[in-house]
Amino acid sequence: MDVVKRIARVLGAAFLLASCGSSDQTRPPAAHDSGTPMHDAGGAAGTNGEGGAGPSEAGADAGSGGNAGATSAGSGGSAGAGATSAGSGGVAGAAGAPTDCDPSDPEIGPGANESCNGLDDDCNGQVDDGAGCKPLLWVFVLAGQSNMVGLGFNNELPSEEQGNVDGATIYYDDSIHPNTNTLKWMQLGPGFGVTEDRYGPELSFGRRMRQLFPSRKLAIIKVAEGGTALHDRWKAPSGDLYQLMKGEVASQLEALKNDWLPQLVGFVWMQGESDAIDSSFADAYQANLTGMLMQGRVDWQIPILATTAGLIRPSALWPYAATVRGATTNVAALVGEMDVIDTQDLPTQPADPAHYTSASFIELGRRFADNLAGQLTSEWHFPEGLGQAQGDGFWTCRVRDGGSMQLMTWNGAQSVWKSADGSVLIGKSVIHPGATGQAELGWWAPYAGRILVDIAVTDADAGGGDGVRVEVVSGSQVIWSSEIANGGSAATSFRVNVMQGDELLFRTSSGASFNPLYDSTSWKVGIQMTAPGS
């Protein structure tokens, strides 16, 4: 099957499955055991605490259930709950009063309900102290072969990397390797490599992530085995290591729910050397990597997952490294919200040229963290963020006709997303509906929090026609809509709580006569995560 077609098919399946449940397994460290130390204080490098305690509770941004509070201007528009509007024909909901602790947000103030969004909604000085609120936990999956397993030496660590990482835990399944720091939740630190006296990229990855997101608590699920290939053991859906990774991720995410609100927000892949020793394996790498990444998103019910992959270091040990490197780069361009980092400048061990030096493993982890941090932004903008793959920037482009939704296809020659019949378009300069097909721009929430959304829409073709209808939908709720006259415009601003996987749908429909000839429309959308630590 063509890679692009497979991505479209699997992405569509992932969106349909995103709300399903998963399995259960052992209980990980509890979020609320604040009186239990996270690690053995004063432990040497490579000594990590285990059991009984995970990352300490934090007021991170998580939650749902808030109503949208919109401010709109335009002709004929209707605003959702908590809205104020100006213009001809607008209908406004009840406006919230200014608050003591956040006058800019009408839903935050004394007496408000805590909505588990990382904010002090009721202004009592405590974050998320409402019934049922759990602290947010960002979860990352790290997987691959030996350079993900890790052969850095603990005794070669610089002083700043020797300690454990506060606010970060790890669950490590090392498959066949003789490391005893496995199959249990422990505080992240040195000692999670091939043996307890070694480490991999997870150490500096977690430390760097905590530096970049100091209010976040992190959990790493690492599954890795040296000398393994994507064409067989990691191949989805039947490879034994893919099955191991799939099961560990699902079960550990489910177990974390006892005390946390876990959210799988990133995937890190470091593998390819074993597929670069044979031309047929290397030639199949693009299809195999695409299949594994997309199948993982379906199995874990995360349609869009920030992903980074390391480009293997060229070496005479694997003569087809260039093919695998090129394939990995190509996949990053095809799979939405994915990037790569290079490793060819990282030195390897003189006596073991297949593996990086201790210092290189530290740099490798930092590069992975910096790359994913760039994807896990707190602001999203359209049209600036529109990409050439579904899911880039967490945006998707679809056609909706009645109850049917179809993903659009990128037209590189015209730099625009198109429906199958070419009548519905979404591009950086214009959105154009069909006679009955709505142009639907989707934004998928990569993590939970409270967002501020600013929108401005203009009927961009004043040469004729009867205008367009635009709306913003979240789930079954129409947050805002407007009938825009020919050549007219409308604008709105609102706040809403989102859970990971919630979508905002920005729809454009033809006017009352269903004649789309003059229905080119310009949208400007800005989304900002306003909760702390975003």
Side-chain angles (χ1 to χ4, degrees), residues 28-30 36-56 137 161-172 179 181-193 196 198-199 202-203 206-207 210 217-221:
T36 306
M38 293 177 61
H39 58 90
D40 297 329
T47 301
N48 299 276
E50 62 183 84
S56 57
L137 185 67
E161 294 288 347
Q162 290 178 5
N164 293 328
V165 182
D166 181 53
T169 54
I170 182 170
Y171 178 94
Y172 179 26
N179 191 322
N181 292 333
T182 58
L183 304 183
K184 53 194 171 188
W185 283 100
M186 301 177 67
Q187 186 176 14
L188 178 62
F192 294 98
E196 297 89 339
R198 302 286 191 100
Y199 64 89
E202 73 288 333
L203 177 61
R207 197 182 305 278
R210 287 284 290 139
K217 302 303 179 184
L218 311 178
I220 293 172
I221 300 172

Side-chain angles (χ1 to χ4, degrees), residues 24 58 117 154 159 188 209 227 236 261 273 299 338 365 391 434 469 475:
D24 195 2
N117 58 4
N154 293 356
S159 59
L188 178 62
M209 274 294 184
L261 180 62
E273 294 90 346
D299 290 335
M338 178 179 174
R469 174 181 172 80

Side-chain angles (χ1 to χ4, degrees), residues 25-37:
Q25 202 194 23
T26 55
R27 179 181 175 123
H32 301 285
D33 293 339
S34 57
T36 306

Side-chain angles (χ1 to χ4, degrees), residues 180 326 384 510 521:
T180 59
E384 296 85 353
S510 186
T521 308

Side-chain angles (χ1 to χ4, degrees), residues 101-336:
C101 54
D102 188 356
S104 68
D105 193 331
E107 294 191 22
I108 293 180
N113 292 325
E114 287 286 344
S115 53
C116 308
N117 58 4
L119 299 175
D120 180 14
D121 295 295
D122 58 5
C123 297
N124 70 347
Q126 300 182 55
V127 173
D128 286 346
D129 59 331
C133 287
K134 295 181 180 180
L136 177 69
L137 185 67
W138 272 13
V139 182
F140 298 89
V141 174
L142 277 60
Q145 59 179 103
S146 55
N147 280 315
M148 179 57 80
V149 172
L151 285 92
F153 292 91
N154 293 356
N155 61 11
E156 294 179 356
L157 281 166
S159 59
E160 67 271 15
E161 294 288 347
Q162 290 178 5
N164 293 328
V165 182
D166 181 53
T169 54
I170 182 170
Y171 178 94
Y172 179 26
D173 191 327
D174 67 345
S175 184
I176 64 170
H177 298 295
N179 191 322
T180 59
N181 292 333
T182 58
L183 304 183
K184 53 194 171 188
W185 283 100
M186 301 177 67
Q187 186 176 14
L188 178 62
F192 294 98
V194 65
T195 51
E196 297 89 339
D197 61 344
R198 302 286 191 100
Y199 64 89
E202 73 288 333
L203 177 61
S204 54
F205 172 84
R207 197 182 305 278
R208 179 65 174 154
M209 274 294 184
R210 287 284 290 139
Q211 292 169 351
L212 294 170
F213 300 97
S215 66
R216 300 286 187 191
K217 302 303 179 184
L218 311 178
I220 293 172
I221 300 172
K222 176 177 166 179
V223 181
E225 182 182 329
T228 54
L230 179 60
H231 71 267
D232 52 9
R233 300 192 62 195
W234 288 101
K235 188 173 183 178
S238 58
D240 68 301
L241 286 176
Y242 176 79
Q243 285 290 320
L244 178 66
M245 176 179 67
K246 168 189 170 182
E248 287 285 33
V249 172
S251 61
Q252 294 309 314
L253 285 174
E254 187 66 20
L256 285 167
K257 293 177 183 178
N258 288 316
D259 297 285
W260 300 87
L261 180 62
Q263 298 181 328
L264 176 55
V265 296
F267 181 81
V268 181
W269 178 246
M270 186 67 242
Q271 191 276 337
E273 294 90 346
S274 291
D275 292 273
I277 61 175
D278 182 276
S279 62
S280 63
F281 301 157
D283 289 341
Y285 198 83
Q286 179 172 328
N288 287 337
L289 182 57
T290 301
M292 185 200 71
L293 295 176
M294 298 308 293
Q295 188 62 46
R297 295 181 181 195
V298 170
D299 290 335
W300 301 325
Q301 301 152 22
I302 305 289
I304 306 175
L305 178 62
T307 300
T308 184
L311 301 178
I312 63 173
R313 192 178 191 275
S315 170
L317 296 172
W318 24 87
Y320 300 98
T323 302
V324 170
R325 286 168 57 88
T328 307
T329 302
N330 290 342
V331 172
L334 293 169
V335 173

Side-chain angles (χ1 to χ4, degrees), residues 424-504:
V424 183
L425 311 174
I426 296 181
K428 289 194 173 184
S429 61
V430 67
I431 290 181
H432 195 288
T436 59
Q438 294 175 306
E440 182 175 273
L441 174 71
W443 175 79
W444 192 87
Y447 53 90
R450 186 164 178 80
I451 57 174
L452 170 64
V453 184
D454 293 303
I455 300 169
V457 192
T458 301
D459 182 320
D461 189 345
D466 57 354
V468 294
R469 174 181 172 80
V470 296
E471 63 183 10
V472 182
V473 176
S474 177
S476 60
Q477 179 187 13
V478 177
I479 295 177
W480 172 77
S481 66
S482 182
E483 303 282 350
I484 302 179
N486 185 41
S489 62
T492 191
S493 178
F494 60 87
R495 298 174 188 264
V496 65
N497 289 338
V498 293
M499 293 292 290
Q500 183 189 44
D502 284 351
E503 284 191 283
L504 290 182

